[in-house]
Short mmCIF file of all heavy atoms in Angstrom, two decimals:
data_model
loop_
_atom_site.label_atom_id
_atom_site.label_comp_id
_atom_site.label_asym_id
_atom_site.label_seq_id
_atom_site.Cartn_x
_atom_site.Cartn_y
_atom_site.Cartn_z
N ASP Q 244 27.75 1.48 19.43
CA ASP Q 244 29.09 1.28 19.93
C ASP Q 244 29.44 2.40 20.92
O ASP Q 244 28.73 3.41 20.99
CB ASP Q 244 30.13 1.19 18.80
CG ASP Q 244 30.24 2.52 18.02
OD1 ASP Q 244 29.33 3.40 18.16
OD2 ASP Q 244 31.18 2.67 17.24
N VAL Q 245 30.52 2.26 21.66
CA VAL Q 245 31.07 3.33 22.52
C VAL Q 245 32.53 3.44 22.22
O VAL Q 245 33.17 2.50 21.72
CB VAL Q 245 30.83 3.04 24.00
CG1 VAL Q 245 29.35 3.06 24.38
CG2 VAL Q 245 31.46 1.71 24.44
N PHE Q 246 33.07 4.66 22.48
CA PHE Q 246 34.49 4.89 22.22
C PHE Q 246 34.98 5.99 23.12
O PHE Q 246 34.21 6.68 23.81
CB PHE Q 246 34.68 5.29 20.75
CG PHE Q 246 34.01 6.56 20.32
CD1 PHE Q 246 34.67 7.78 20.41
CD2 PHE Q 246 32.70 6.59 19.88
CE1 PHE Q 246 34.10 8.99 20.05
CE2 PHE Q 246 32.08 7.78 19.51
CZ PHE Q 246 32.76 8.96 19.59
N ARG Q 247 36.28 6.18 23.08
CA ARG Q 247 36.91 7.35 23.77
C ARG Q 247 37.52 8.21 22.70
O ARG Q 247 38.10 7.73 21.69
CB ARG Q 247 37.98 6.87 24.74
CG ARG Q 247 37.46 6.19 25.97
CD ARG Q 247 38.58 5.79 26.93
NE ARG Q 247 37.99 5.32 28.20
CZ ARG Q 247 37.64 4.04 28.43
NH1 ARG Q 247 37.79 3.15 27.51
NH2 ARG Q 247 37.12 3.73 29.60
N TRP Q 248 37.43 9.53 22.86
CA TRP Q 248 37.97 10.46 21.87
C TRP Q 248 39.47 10.30 21.68
O TRP Q 248 40.02 10.56 20.59
CB TRP Q 248 37.60 11.89 22.19
CG TRP Q 248 36.22 12.22 21.67
CD1 TRP Q 248 35.07 12.37 22.37
CD2 TRP Q 248 35.88 12.45 20.29
NE1 TRP Q 248 34.02 12.65 21.50
CE2 TRP Q 248 34.49 12.71 20.24
CE3 TRP Q 248 36.60 12.44 19.11
CZ2 TRP Q 248 33.84 12.95 19.06
CZ3 TRP Q 248 35.95 12.70 17.91
CH2 TRP Q 248 34.59 12.95 17.90
N GLN Q 249 40.21 9.84 22.69
CA GLN Q 249 41.62 9.66 22.54
C GLN Q 249 41.94 8.58 21.48
O GLN Q 249 43.00 8.63 20.85
CB GLN Q 249 42.28 9.26 23.86
CG GLN Q 249 41.77 8.00 24.50
CD GLN Q 249 42.36 7.81 25.90
OE1 GLN Q 249 43.09 8.66 26.40
NE2 GLN Q 249 42.00 6.69 26.50
N TRP Q 250 40.97 7.70 21.23
CA TRP Q 250 41.10 6.73 20.12
C TRP Q 250 40.54 7.31 18.82
O TRP Q 250 41.17 7.20 17.79
CB TRP Q 250 40.34 5.45 20.51
CG TRP Q 250 40.25 4.41 19.44
CD1 TRP Q 250 41.21 3.54 19.04
CD2 TRP Q 250 39.12 4.18 18.58
NE1 TRP Q 250 40.75 2.76 18.02
CE2 TRP Q 250 39.50 3.11 17.74
CE3 TRP Q 250 37.85 4.70 18.49
CZ2 TRP Q 250 38.61 2.57 16.76
CZ3 TRP Q 250 36.99 4.20 17.54
CH2 TRP Q 250 37.35 3.15 16.64
N MET Q 251 39.34 7.90 18.89
CA MET Q 251 38.71 8.39 17.68
C MET Q 251 39.48 9.53 17.03
O MET Q 251 39.54 9.66 15.78
CB MET Q 251 37.28 8.86 18.00
CG MET Q 251 36.48 9.29 16.78
SD MET Q 251 36.08 7.91 15.68
CE MET Q 251 34.76 7.13 16.58
N TRP Q 252 40.09 10.36 17.87
CA TRP Q 252 40.83 11.49 17.31
C TRP Q 252 42.00 11.02 16.41
O TRP Q 252 42.23 11.56 15.35
CB TRP Q 252 41.39 12.39 18.44
CG TRP Q 252 41.76 13.75 17.97
CD1 TRP Q 252 43.01 14.29 17.90
CD2 TRP Q 252 40.85 14.80 17.56
NE1 TRP Q 252 42.98 15.57 17.43
CE2 TRP Q 252 41.66 15.93 17.24
CE3 TRP Q 252 39.47 14.88 17.45
CZ2 TRP Q 252 41.09 17.09 16.81
CZ3 TRP Q 252 38.93 16.08 17.04
CH2 TRP Q 252 39.72 17.17 16.70
N GLY Q 253 42.64 9.96 16.84
CA GLY Q 253 43.69 9.39 16.03
C GLY Q 253 43.18 8.78 14.73
O GLY Q 253 43.83 8.86 13.66
N ARG Q 254 41.99 8.13 14.79
CA ARG Q 254 41.38 7.59 13.61
C ARG Q 254 41.08 8.66 12.61
O ARG Q 254 41.31 8.48 11.38
CB ARG Q 254 40.08 6.84 13.99
CG ARG Q 254 40.31 5.64 14.94
CD ARG Q 254 40.77 4.41 14.14
NE ARG Q 254 39.71 3.83 13.37
CZ ARG Q 254 39.89 3.09 12.29
NH1 ARG Q 254 41.06 2.90 11.78
NH2 ARG Q 254 38.84 2.56 11.64
N ILE Q 255 40.52 9.78 13.04
CA ILE Q 255 40.17 10.87 12.13
C ILE Q 255 41.42 11.49 11.58
O ILE Q 255 41.53 11.75 10.35
CB ILE Q 255 39.31 11.92 12.85
CG1 ILE Q 255 37.93 11.31 13.23
CG2 ILE Q 255 39.14 13.16 12.03
CD1 ILE Q 255 37.06 12.20 14.11
N ALA Q 256 42.45 11.69 12.42
CA ALA Q 256 43.70 12.26 11.92
C ALA Q 256 44.27 11.38 10.83
O ALA Q 256 44.74 11.90 9.79
CB ALA Q 256 44.67 12.37 13.11
N GLU Q 257 44.29 10.08 11.05
CA GLU Q 257 44.86 9.15 10.06
C GLU Q 257 44.13 9.23 8.73
O GLU Q 257 44.74 9.21 7.66
CB GLU Q 257 44.77 7.72 10.60
CG GLU Q 257 45.39 6.66 9.70
CD GLU Q 257 45.29 5.30 10.32
OE1 GLU Q 257 44.65 5.11 11.33
OE2 GLU Q 257 45.86 4.33 9.73
N TRP Q 258 42.79 9.40 8.76
CA TRP Q 258 42.05 9.49 7.50
C TRP Q 258 42.52 10.69 6.66
O TRP Q 258 42.52 10.59 5.46
CB TRP Q 258 40.55 9.59 7.78
CG TRP Q 258 39.67 9.28 6.61
CD1 TRP Q 258 39.16 8.04 6.26
CD2 TRP Q 258 39.27 10.20 5.59
NE1 TRP Q 258 38.46 8.15 5.10
CE2 TRP Q 258 38.50 9.43 4.65
CE3 TRP Q 258 39.46 11.56 5.34
CZ2 TRP Q 258 37.95 10.02 3.50
CZ3 TRP Q 258 38.91 12.15 4.22
CH2 TRP Q 258 38.15 11.38 3.33
N PHE Q 259 42.84 11.76 7.35
CA PHE Q 259 43.26 12.99 6.64
C PHE Q 259 44.75 13.07 6.44
O PHE Q 259 45.26 14.10 5.98
CB PHE Q 259 42.76 14.23 7.39
CG PHE Q 259 41.27 14.48 7.19
CD1 PHE Q 259 40.37 14.02 8.18
CD2 PHE Q 259 40.82 15.15 6.07
CE1 PHE Q 259 38.99 14.25 7.97
CE2 PHE Q 259 39.42 15.34 5.92
CZ PHE Q 259 38.55 14.89 6.89
N GLY Q 260 45.48 12.03 6.75
CA GLY Q 260 46.89 12.03 6.57
C GLY Q 260 47.67 12.91 7.57
O GLY Q 260 48.72 13.43 7.29
N LEU Q 261 47.09 13.02 8.80
CA LEU Q 261 47.65 13.84 9.83
C LEU Q 261 48.12 13.03 11.01
O LEU Q 261 47.69 11.87 11.19
CB LEU Q 261 46.62 14.89 10.32
CG LEU Q 261 46.07 15.92 9.34
CD1 LEU Q 261 44.84 16.57 9.88
CD2 LEU Q 261 47.16 16.93 8.95
#
Side-chain angles (χ1 to χ4, degrees):
D244 63 347
V245 294
F246 64 90
R247 290 182 171 87
W248 275 105
Q249 60 187 3
W250 174 79
M251 186 66 77
W252 199 250
R254 296 281 285 155
I255 293 172
E257 183 180 7
W258 197 92
F259 284 96
L261 297 167

